[in-house]
Structure formats: C-alpha cells, structure tokens
Amino acid sequence: MLRLSKLTDYAVVVLTRLDDATDGGVLTAPGLAGATGLAEPTVAKVLKILAHAGLVEGRRGALGGYRLTRPLADMPLIDVITAMDGPIALTACVDNSFGVCESESTCPVRGRWDPVNEAIRRALSGISIADLAGPPAVVPHPEPASPVFVAG
Amino acid sequence: MLRLSKLTDYAVVVLTRLDDATDGGVLTAPGLAGATGLAEPTVAKVLKILAHAGLVEGRRGALGGYRLTRPLADMPLIDVITAMDGPIALTACVDNSFGVCESESTCPVRGRWDPVNEAIRRALSGISIADLAGPPAVVPHPEPASPVFVAG
DNA sequence: TGCAATCCGGACCTTGATGGTCCGAATTGC
DNA sequence: GCAATTCGGACCATCAAGGTCCGGATTGCA
Ligand code: SF4
Ligand code: SF4
C-alpha cells in the first residue's frame, strides 16, 4: 500500500522524543523506550541504524546515551526514510539497474519511473522532522498539482 | 524501501500494451502475456484487479478480451496504485484509525503523517499513465520544493 | 585496578504480506 | 449444443520485514 516500514515510523517517534533533551544531555535506549511506549530492543535497533546514518550520536560507557547531531528543523524527512528503508525506489528498474526485472527488454516504461521517484523525493525533501513534531501545522493547499511532466 | 508492489508495476506495463488496440478491438490475457513477457496467470490477475476497479473492461465468451475504459491520458497514476495496492497510507495511523498502533496514546506525531500522504497523493495525481508510456518526458524542475507545511 | 553500565555489531528466528498458481462457474459467439 | 474466454475465489510458496537475543567494546566510578 505504498507504506513505509514500521521502523521508519518508530524512528520519527524516537527522534521527536530525543529532542526533549538536546542541551548537552543524552537519553538512554531504555529511557526512550519507556517514553515512547515501544519495546526496548526495537528502540535500540532504531537508534543503531540512525547512528549508523549519522542522524544521532551515541556515547558509550556509563552515563552514556544518544544525542541528536542536528536540530530537527535541519533534518528532512527523506533523510530518515533513506536511512531506515534505503533509497527511494518505487520499482525495480531505477537508474541503471539491470537483471532485476524479468521483462526489462520488452517493457515500454523502462526507466520512466525515475521522474516519479524524483517527484516523491522532492515532496519529501521539503518536510522536516520538526514539521511532524511541531504545532498542528495547517495544510493550506498551496498549489493544485504542480505538474511534474510537461505535456508532450 | 517505499517500493510499490510488483503487481502495480505490471499493471502499468499491461495498460500501456493494452493501449495498442483501443479502437474497438480487445486483447486476450494470453495475448497480453506474450506481448509483455509476463506469466499468463499473473497478467490475468492484474487484469482482474484492474477490471474490478473499473480501469479496464472485460468481455466474456468467445472473441472476448479486455479493453480500456478511458484513454491513458485521463488515467492518473494514483488510480492504478490505489486499485492495486490500496489507498496511499504511509503509516498505520491514517485519518481516524485506532487500535492499529501500540503507542498511539503517547505518540507525538499522531496524525501528523496525513499532510505527507496528501503531498504524495498530489504528486501522483499529476502524472498519467500516458506520461509513463509516452515520449521521453522531460522533468523541468518546476519549483524547488512547494512546501507543504507552513512554518509555525 | 576492578566493576558496573551502556552502546555496538551481528546473527537468529518468527511472522505477515506478497507473488504466483490453480480450478470451477458464468457468459458469449458460432 | 459446444467451444472459447473471462470471472471469482481459494490456495500455497516464497520472501522480506519485525523483533529478539547474545557477546564484545567502551566509558565512568568506586
Ligand atoms: S523494466 Fe518495466 S516491468 Fe521491469 S521494473 Fe522496470 S518498469 Fe517494471
Ligand atoms: S500513532 Fe505514532 S507510532 Fe503509531 S502509526 Fe501513528 S505516527 Fe506511527
């Protein structure tokens, strides 16, 4: 259903909670688990992946924990999605991938999905995590469609 | 990876092939399978789902087959995705769904995904199947981001 | 110096959805 | 009446995602 993975969803929740203590302090994985209501191993896994992508920073040892590397306003949503779910790729044939699709030779839409991917990437790049956690942002219907393709 | 299902991809392929004979004629499922290089049962399944959604029309009996109900230019991509993969729903908490998420009570981003869904829906509504099958449509980078949220 | 707390990395298994296949029933043209 | 074709549903296999667990490394404290 064009649904992103649960881990990505949890990542956003954890990131917003992690914003509660950004002033030098760190939060532990069990602490975040308790704050978010998620299972501890799951939160730990999410934090590990986020740390691997550089979105959060982990400090080991006693009094260790996780800390944001950037304010949430400077963290676009696409970065989180890319970190958790991998790059945006609606179909198997992206960029220059071969051999993944059985009918790549006779397919008339071979490589035509790239603009669609670009459109979604652009839509997701304009949204930051702060927008998802901030005040009840209103959607003002800015423009009807902003067409991506030029009519041939 | 924010990837839509293969069936949706195949649906687009079948639809573009189905456009080859729209002038009253119909195409059979095995014929389309041969033209697309996909397995016959898979094509049949795709056509059944598309027929159920009203995107194609099936005629039974001898000399039966499938036919497009609309030109591809009037068939936005989101209709095909909705027909195959169901409605666009990035997370479990869409609109007014309860009980699906375990941490729906303590989640700070509860319901905040709806604008994101809207953004993607809008991006996908501006693209038709004809754009995917037509000439090598150029992407002109119309606007940088077209922000969905208003800065609070 | 020893100990406890915490992150780190990987491997493992379980589950759910998806993809793919098949068969019987209904319908239409000859 | 017969053959051809779609229609509808059920069925099973496969795969990736979700979730869990353990050992090792690092840091602060007594
Ligand atoms: S080659 Fe065609 S069928 Fe294969 S993944 Fe690309 S668009 Fe889909
Ligand atoms: S309530 Fe929160 S955690 Fe649950 S699906 Fe919605 S955004 Fe995700």
Side-chain angles (χ1 to χ4, degrees):
Chain A
M1 320 174 190
L2 199 60
R3 169 169 301 181
L4 48 81
S5 65
K6 281 185 176 180
L7 271 296
T8 306
D9 184 14
Y10 295 160
V12 176
V13 178
V14 170
L15 284 173
T16 55
R17 285 290 180 185
L18 204 55
D19 190 45
D20 294 348
T22 321
D23 48 350
V26 292
L27 292 180
T28 66
L32 284 168
T36 56
L38 302 173
E40 291 186 23
T42 303
V43 175
K45 186 173 191 174
V46 168
L47 288 170
K48 274 186 282 190
I49 301 175
L50 290 177
H52 208 262
L55 297 180
V56 300
E57 204 175 26
R59 182 169 185 79
R60 294 201 205 177
L63 302 187
Y66 285 94
R67 184 174 65 84
L68 288 174
T69 58
R70 288 184 268 172
L72 293 183
D74 293 344
M75 193 178 293
L77 178 59
I78 189 173
D79 283 8
V80 181
I81 295 178
T82 304
M84 302 298 296
D85 278 6
I88 305 289
L90 267 64
T91 58
C93 67
V94 283
D95 305 324
N96 296 329
S97 305
F98 295 98
V100 288
C101 181
E102 53 199 44
S103 67
E104 60 183 6
S105 57
T106 62
C107 180
V109 291
R110 175 101 172 83
R112 292 287 165 74
W113 286 100
D114 292 359
V116 184
N117 290 328
E118 265 311 308
I120 293 185
R121 282 179 198 150
R122 192 157 42 232
L124 263 51
S125 298
I127 304 176
S128 71
I129 309 297
D131 292 331
L132 283 168
V138 191
V139 184
H141 293 281
E143 294 129 50
S146 72
V148 182
F149 289 84
V150 289
Chain B
M1 324 175 187
L2 199 60
R3 170 169 301 181
L4 47 82
S5 65
K6 281 184 174 180
L7 271 294
T8 306
D9 185 14
Y10 295 160
V12 176
V13 178
V14 170
L15 284 173
T16 55
R17 285 290 179 184
L18 203 55
D19 189 45
D20 293 349
T22 321
D23 49 349
V26 292
L27 293 179
T28 66
L32 284 169
T36 56
L38 302 173
E40 292 186 22
T42 302
V43 176
K45 187 174 190 174
V46 169
L47 287 170
K48 272 185 282 190
I49 300 175
L50 289 176
H52 207 262
L55 297 180
V56 300
E57 205 175 27
R59 181 168 188 78
R60 294 200 205 178
L63 302 188
Y66 285 94
R67 185 174 64 84
L68 288 174
T69 57
R70 287 184 268 171
L72 292 184
D74 294 343
M75 193 179 293
L77 178 58
I78 189 173
D79 283 9
V80 181
I81 296 178
T82 303
M84 302 299 296
D85 278 6
I88 306 287
L90 267 64
T91 58
C93 66
V94 284
D95 304 326
N96 298 329
S97 305
F98 295 97
V100 287
C101 181
E102 54 200 43
S103 66
E104 61 183 6
S105 56
T106 62
C107 181
V109 291
R110 175 97 173 85
R112 291 288 165 73
W113 286 100
D114 291 0
V116 183
N117 290 328
E118 264 311 308
I120 293 185
R121 282 180 198 150
R122 193 156 41 231
L124 262 52
S125 298
I127 304 174
S128 70
I129 308 298
D131 293 329
L132 283 167
V138 191
V139 184
H141 294 280
E143 294 130 49
S146 73
V148 183
F149 290 85
V150 289

